[in-house]
Amino acid sequence: EPWLATPAPAPAPSLGGFCFPETALVTVQGEDKNNVVTSKKMLMRDVQLGDKVLVDQDGTYETVYSFGHYDTKIQSDAFMSLTTSDGKSLTLTPNHMIQTSNKGTIAASRIQLGDSVMIASSNKNEKVTQISKNTRKKGMYAPFTKSGYLVVDDIVVSNYIGVIVNDQNNDDAKILGGLVSHQWVAHAFNAPHRFYCNYNDCMTENYTEEGLSTWIAMPFSLAQRMFVENTRTNTFIKTLGIITFVAICIVFTLLFDNNNGIMAFLLMTLAVVAMMRRRSSGRKIKS
């Protein structure tokens, strides 16, 4: 694709990818030859940076500013499929999160028969009636939007995966006893990227050999090592790590969330002024 930049090497994750196959459908907004706003279904493999995609049941469209995962060649049986009572079918990786009416936004692997998901076209919650695992598909794509949500195969889903894995008996949508959600943590951690793309041209992007955006490859790898791979870490250390991770997310939200753009600008301005004053005082001491 013309908007893809040269891949860059980075540590490989082992959470099975977080994305949708190339045949998944999204709704993309555009204009006809008479400049009339239109919308059409588009295969995930054809979606590009800058496209405006449907993100909720209210008809909201947002720009794709990044692909967390973009791999056109991979073929994998790591996908799973969910079928709803009205016949809708969604295929995604098990760790990718999906919005439910009864459990919040949780990983697809935690969906159970009878859970309800939001159907965008009808604006109704429909129950999951069938779950199929080890579905083989080609391609892995994960578009990122301002809200952290999008509509895939007519079902409202998250942009993200649940990286911080809890015990099977815990509520998968929540962290630290329900204080924050996996969706909030993932969305907050991407605030600097959203902020940057809000004021800069993000029409090209670099990906690792595994197809991960270089914006998230390193944080993803660190989170994996901290919360997934190191199973021998005692509970106190893990909890401390999660608290630190959440604290960083809070700072990112305050500094870089679009709603706090003025605050971010003021803080950056103060930082520049402080650095200039420090250099100025250093020169006076030398003289």
Side-chain angles (χ1 to χ4, degrees):
E1 301 292 342
W3 50 271
L4 295 180
T6 304
S14 62
L15 286 178
F18 47 108
C19 36
F20 308 93
E22 66 175 13
T23 53
L25 289 173
V26 296
T27 304
V28 179
Q29 189 179 69
E31 293 183 352
D32 63 16
K33 61 182 180 180
N34 297 317
N35 296 323
V36 176
V37 176
T38 61
S39 63
K40 64 178 180 179
K41 299 291 184 182
M42 183 179 290
L43 292 173
M44 187 67 77
R45 68 188 179 200
D46 296 326
V47 177
Q48 297 188 11
L49 293 173
D51 284 345
K52 289 188 175 181
V53 297
L54 184 66
V55 299
D56 60 26
Q57 67 275 18
D58 298 321
T60 306
Y61 286 83
E62 294 177 351
T63 301
V64 175
Y65 71 88
S66 175
F67 281 88
H69 201 159
Y70 192 95
D71 191 329
T72 62
K73 298 179 180 179
I74 188 171
Q75 296 192 42
S76 173
D77 58 2
F79 293 96
M80 62 180 293
S81 297
L82 307 175
T83 303
T84 62
S85 54
D86 65 342
K88 303 294 183 182
S89 181
L90 171 70
T91 300
L92 71 174
T93 49
N95 50 3
H96 202 107
M97 293 191 289
I98 179 172
Q99 189 182 75
T100 69
S101 63
N102 54 326
K103 295 181 178 178
T105 303
I106 63 175
S109 61
R110 301 300 180 92
I111 295 285
Q112 297 178 329
L113 296 177
D115 288 342
S116 295
V117 297
M118 172 57 68
I119 307 300
S121 60
S122 64
N123 195 11
K124 293 181 179 180
N125 289 302
E126 298 288 348
K127 291 185 177 181
V128 174
T129 57
Q130 183 177 343
I131 300 174
S132 302
K133 298 181 179 179
N134 301 321
T135 303
R136 188 168 183 81
K137 293 287 183 177
K138 182 182 179 182
M140 286 191 174
Y141 305 82
F144 281 6
T145 63
K146 177 182 176 181
S147 65
Y149 287 95
L150 73 156
V151 174
V152 177
D153 293 329
D154 205 21
I155 297 176
V156 180
V157 299
S158 170
N159 292 177
Y160 316 113
I161 64 169
V163 176
I164 304 174
V165 180
N166 288 342
D167 182 84
Q168 290 289 335
N169 295 321
N170 290 339
D171 181 359
D172 191 53
K174 301 294 182 180
I175 301 170
L176 295 179
L179 293 178
V180 293
S181 68
H182 287 262
Q183 175 69 16
W184 179 87
V185 168
H187 195 58
F189 209 80
N190 279 282
H193 192 183
R194 289 194 305 278
F195 180 81
Y196 176 84
C197 290
N198 195 46
Y199 297 98
N200 295 274
D201 181 10
C202 288
M203 296 305 292
T204 59
E205 189 166 54
N206 294 311
Y207 301 96
T208 69
E209 293 178 357
E210 295 75 31
L212 286 181
S213 165
T214 52
W215 274 93
I216 68 166
M218 186 57 68
F220 179 76
S221 180
L222 291 174
Q224 176 192 345
R225 292 193 180 107
M226 185 180 299
F227 303 116
V228 180
E229 290 181 352
N230 195 2
T231 56
R232 295 182 180 179
T233 304
N234 63 49
T235 303
F236 175 78
I237 297 299
K238 269 194 172 182
T239 302
L240 184 61
I242 293 174
I243 292 174
T244 303
F245 199 76
V246 170
I248 293 173
C249 290
I250 292 173
V251 172
F252 280 176
T253 299
L254 292 175
L255 290 179
F256 300 110
D257 190 274
N258 288 334
N259 295 328
N260 298 294
I262 296 177
M263 181 183 291
F265 176 78
L266 291 175
L267 289 173
M268 287 189 291
T269 302
L270 288 173
V272 171
V273 171
M275 290 177 63
M276 292 179 65
R277 291 188 63 181
R278 186 174 181 180
R279 289 182 180 180
S280 177
S281 61
R283 290 172 182 172
K284 290 181 180 179
I285 292 174
K286 289 181 179 180
S287 60

